Amino acid sequence: TNHRGAINYRYSFYQVSIEPFKNVKENNPLKLINFSPVPTSVSVSVVGNRQFEERRLRPANQFGGIVEPTFTKNFMITRNYNLVWNFTKNLQLNFNAVNNSRVDEVRGYFETAGQFERDSIGTLRDNLLSFGRGVDTVFSEVDGVTRRFIRRRENLINMGRTTGYTHNINLTYQLPFSQFKWMDWLSGNINYSANFTWQQAPEINKNLGATISNTQNIQASARVNLKGLYSNFGFLMNIL
């Protein structure tokens, strides 16, 4: 079986552009100063996907013995965050973050799981509905021996146990050539982008530690409109 649910939210802010030198002379560079005190938009989405598979093999003959069923269970939650902010008419920011997490469950059915495994995960309330993150000390009796272990409260209502996180930042600045008549034949952009990624340590060997990586890139581009160049500098037509 496969159960999937999603919640999406997006809000676009009313845009306010503050231009403190709006009334100065046309050719004054101060006239170009502007900024927006509020973001352009924010959006959040949460997607939960739970997969449950039970596979039971039948013996080929009556002497084949009993084959225990096998289970495949995945309860993953993905959260997406996005922020768009036009700081000025020429400077735009786009921030995106993705968090992947897992809700831990017992193997197979909770009713048939061993007591030790139940205690390691917690009851239905502990596993799904307990608010707040933290650490519990749990005592469980296995084969007549009382064992003490630590159980972390990272469950459904806490959005699970984070297994991976990544975010991207993209900052674009449009060079203001078009604001000057004698340079409106030029256009260009400067773009800065950065990425950060975190992956949890492998469950089978947590001593290896988590994996972290990051990158950044700066790119500049320019374009020339020859028709606009000739219209601004007519003498070039005679030379060419």
Side-chain angles (χ1 to χ4, degrees), residues 26-27 130 189 232:
E26 188 68 27
N27 296 326
S130 178
N189 296 296
N232 278 277

Side-chain angles (χ1 to χ4, degrees), residues 12 22 30 45 62 70 91 95 119 121 158 177 205 211:
S12 296
K22 181 179 181 179
L30 293 176
S45 69
Q62 60 178 337
T70 59
L91 181 63
F95 174 82
D119 290 338
I121 298 298
N158 296 318
F177 294 127
N205 191 353
T211 302

Side-chain angles (χ1 to χ4, degrees), residues 26-148:
E26 188 68 27
N27 296 326
N28 194 323
L30 293 176
K31 188 178 181 66
L32 302 178
I33 296 177
N34 63 87
F35 64 92
S36 176
V38 295
T40 305
S41 65
V42 294
S43 61
V44 179
S45 69
V46 180
V47 179
N49 190 2
R50 184 177 187 270
Q51 299 173 331
F52 180 91
E53 178 183 335
E54 178 184 3
R55 181 170 297 183
R56 188 183 298 270
L57 300 178
R58 297 183 180 275
N61 55 64
Q62 60 178 337
F63 303 104
I66 299 176
V67 180
E68 294 295 331
T70 59
F71 297 89
T72 300
K73 299 177 73 174
N74 280 302
F75 194 164
M76 308 299 296
I77 297 178
T78 301
R79 287 172 282 164
N80 287 275
Y81 307 91
N82 184 259
L83 169 68
V84 178
W85 196 329
N86 295 336
F87 292 114
T88 72
K89 294 179 180 179
N90 295 70
L91 181 63
Q92 295 86 36
L93 169 72
N94 191 308
F95 174 82
N96 175 263
V98 179
N99 183 286
N100 297 306
S101 59
R102 176 186 294 275
V103 178
D104 294 316
E105 299 182 271
V106 298
R107 291 171 293 181
Y109 296 102
F110 187 84
E111 294 78 6
T112 58
Q115 187 61 43
F116 177 74
E117 188 172 3
R118 289 191 188 187
D119 290 338
S120 67
I121 298 298
T123 64
L124 180 64
R125 179 178 178 83
D126 295 331
N127 192 25
L128 300 180
L129 303 176
S130 178
F131 279 100
R133 296 182 182 275
V135 177
D136 294 331
T137 301
V138 181
F139 296 90
S140 181
E141 185 173 329
V142 181
D143 298 330
V145 179
T146 301
R147 299 180 59 183
R148 174 183 177 273

Side-chain angles (χ1 to χ4, degrees), residues 83-229:
L83 169 68
V84 178
W85 196 329
N86 295 336
F87 292 114
T88 72
K89 294 179 180 179
N90 295 70
L91 181 63
Q92 295 86 36
L93 169 72
N94 191 308
F95 174 82
N96 175 263
V98 179
N99 183 286
N100 297 306
S101 59
R102 176 186 294 275
V103 178
D104 294 316
E105 299 182 271
V106 298
R107 291 171 293 181
Y109 296 102
F110 187 84
E111 294 78 6
T112 58
Q115 187 61 43
F116 177 74
E117 188 172 3
R118 289 191 188 187
D119 290 338
S120 67
I121 298 298
T123 64
L124 180 64
R125 179 178 178 83
D126 295 331
N127 192 25
L128 300 180
L129 303 176
S130 178
F131 279 100
R133 296 182 182 275
V135 177
D136 294 331
T137 301
V138 181
F139 296 90
S140 181
E141 185 173 329
V142 181
D143 298 330
V145 179
T146 301
R147 299 180 59 183
R148 174 183 177 273
F149 59 93
I150 301 299
R151 180 177 69 209
R152 300 186 64 86
R153 294 197 302 272
E154 295 177 301
N155 44 37
L156 174 62
I157 208 154
N158 296 318
M159 296 299 175
R161 170 173 55 85
T162 297
T163 59
Y165 170 83
T166 183
H167 70 233
N168 297 282
I169 299 174
N170 192 287
L171 197 63
T172 302
Y173 179 67
Q174 183 178 0
L175 298 172
F177 294 127
S178 61
Q179 303 298 323
F180 304 96
K181 186 176 180 180
W182 56 279
M183 296 186 68
D184 59 4
W185 48 277
L186 286 172
S187 61
N189 296 296
I190 298 176
N191 180 267
Y192 171 81
S193 59
N195 169 272
F196 172 84
T197 300
W198 177 89
Q199 290 292 332
Q200 73 160 12
E203 285 293 320
I204 59 174
N205 191 353
K206 293 187 176 182
N207 292 328
L208 294 176
T211 302
I212 296 175
S213 63
N214 60 78
T215 61
Q216 64 176 346
N217 182 56
I218 300 176
Q219 183 178 0
S221 62
R223 292 173 294 277
V224 178
N225 184 340
L226 294 179
K227 183 177 180 180
L229 174 63

